[in-house]
Each structure stands twice: as structure tokens, then as C-alpha cells.
Amino acid sequence: MAVPLYQAKAEFFRTLGHPARIRVLELLQDGPRPVRELLASIEIEPSSLSQQLGVLRRSNLVTATREGNTVVYALSTPDVAELLRAARRILTEMITDQGTLLAELREPAVQDVQEKTA
């Protein structure tokens, strides 16, 4: 029996649900990178990076090619980079909305203080 689309989407987003995986994908937006560069940029244990790269590879979000003794990772499709850009836009909007709400919440407090000192 086929997996329902909503379940496949949930699994896809669970795959993205680790900070190291997101960071790898962000770094790969600029182009393919060898593992040693990813390791230097992310600053996690090599075994942990290897595990996270394996998850991304099995999910077909990244590809791996061997160049001599070096393994180079790349995004499997430009759509992955677009997804990260969309997430950034959504987060920016959410934070902006929260900032606006916070400013509105603080307004009466400022007015109350001004009224008390007047």
C-alpha cells in the first residue's frame, strides 16, 4: 500500500529536523564541498557528521562523489536550496510579526508609565 502524501511530507521534514543537517545543506548551497571542509565549518565530531551525511544521502537530498581519496558532497537538486531560502523568508516574516506584536504589547506599558509620572 502506498504511503499517504502527508505522511511522506512529515518524514521529509523529520529528515530536515537536525541542526547539523540544515547546516550541511546551507553550506552546500554555495556548491559541492569535500567532507573536510564541511567538518571544519560545522565543528562536530567526524562520526556525527558522517551519520548526518548518511541520512541526507539516503533521503536523496545530497549526492556524494569520490575524487581520489576525497568524498565531495553536493545538493541533489537546486530545489533544496530554494526550500532553505523559503524557510528563511518564512522565519523572517514570523520574527517580524513577533516583533510587531511585542511592540504593541509594550505600548500600553509605556503609556501606563507616562500616565503615572504625569
Side-chain angles (χ1 to χ4, degrees), residues 94-110:
M94 290 169 59
I95 291 169
T96 300
D97 289 347
Q98 290 173 358
T100 302
L101 177 60
L102 182 60
E104 289 175 11
L105 288 170
R106 286 183 173 162
E107 273 183 22
V110 171

Side-chain angles (χ1 to χ4, degrees), residues 43-91:
E43 298 179 1
I44 61 174
E45 293 296 319
S47 60
S48 181
L49 177 60
S50 178
Q51 180 182 19
Q52 302 311 326
L53 288 168
V55 171
L56 293 171
R57 204 173 47 252
R58 285 189 297 279
S59 301
N60 295 317
L61 290 169
V62 300
T63 60
T65 55
R66 185 170 289 281
E67 297 176 2
N69 291 335
T70 303
V71 178
V72 177
Y73 282 86
L75 295 179
S76 60
T77 172
D79 291 336
V80 176
E82 180 54 38
L83 176 65
L84 293 171
R85 285 190 293 273
R88 187 179 194 95
R89 288 190 303 268
I90 291 166
L91 288 171

